[in-house]
Amino acid sequence: MIKKIEHIGIAVKNLNHSNELFKKLFGASHYKIETVESEGVGTSFFMLGETKIELLEATHPESAIAKFIDKKGEGIHHIAYEVDDIYAEMERLKLEGFDVLNKEPKMGADNKLIFFLHPKSTNGVLVELCQERKD
Ligand code: CMX
């Protein structure tokens, strides 16, 4: 079951610059910075009440974020939904006909198991499904 929006991911060219920009916007600093080499991203997280915003910067030119910015410019990159059972959701969404981009859930930022749905199968919005890793 999908429970709620866990975070909104925003692609940025320069994480340090955008951390300062969003600090001014939100009146609060990011609470975490994390690099996820397997995804080719540097990330920072801001918490606004119960809403989490993730900024993502590419760590190399082949990163999904570099490709996204080259093509579309900076902006909303994905919406992440929290699920209660990520393995069951993966099977359910496959059966529903969505284009699931990963064979298995994998480790993402912020101690989450994640997988993605291709934006072509979700009205043009890249969807991330995530669940807190328990062990
Ligand atoms: N949102 C909406 N559309 C997107 C998109 C995004 N984030 N990224 C790519 N697209 C669109 C492209 O504009 C292109 O559209 P057109 O065909 O109309 O020109 C199309 O998708 C391209 O699709 P593709 O050729 O299959 O593949 P790409 O090489 O562009 O890769 C995607 C796109 C989504 C499959 C790839 O980025 C991916 O696997 N993403 C999941 C992993 C990821 O994004 N990791 C970084 C974040 C990690 C984190 O959150 O920690």
Side-chain angles (χ1 to χ4, degrees):
M1 188 181 74
I2 292 186
K3 291 159 75 177
K4 63 170 189 175
I5 290 180
E6 210 282 332
H7 65 266
I8 296 171
I10 300 176
V12 303
K13 288 183 182 164
N14 182 305
L15 198 60
N16 287 335
H17 172 81
S18 294
N19 281 339
E20 288 307 308
L21 185 85
F22 278 78
K23 182 180 173 183
K24 285 185 202 155
L25 178 67
F26 296 151
S29 297
H30 57 279
Y31 65 91
K32 183 195 262 195
I33 285 195
E34 186 178 348
T35 299
V36 185
E37 283 302 346
S38 56
E39 291 293 312
V41 296
T43 67
S44 63
F45 288 90
F46 291 80
M47 192 60 94
L48 297 168
E50 292 186 357
T51 304
K52 199 186 282 178
I53 303 291
E54 177 185 26
L55 304 185
L56 301 120
E57 167 191 70
T59 57
H60 58 74
E62 294 309 310
S63 156
I65 299 301
K67 287 188 190 167
F68 177 84
I69 288 178
D70 281 351
K71 191 154 192 195
K72 294 176 183 279
E74 294 177 300
I76 294 182
H77 177 258
H78 65 264
I79 298 184
Y81 299 92
E82 184 182 328
V83 299
D84 55 0
D85 181 340
I86 197 155
Y87 292 93
E89 278 306 303
M90 185 177 238
E91 289 316 308
R92 184 181 75 81
L93 293 168
K94 273 185 201 165
L95 289 173
E96 291 287 4
F98 291 96
D99 183 357
V100 176
L101 287 168
N102 310 100
K103 285 205 173 77
E104 292 292 329
K106 57 181 176 174
M107 268 317 282
D110 208 23
N111 196 39
K112 299 278 190 299
L113 280 169
I114 62 172
F115 69 89
F116 291 89
L117 305 181
H118 198 290
K120 293 282 181 201
S121 71
T122 50
N123 284 176
V125 178
L126 177 62
V127 170
E128 176 183 327
L129 287 303
C130 65
Q131 184 185 2
E132 187 87 12
R133 195 176 151 180
K134 286 167 187 152
D135 50 9

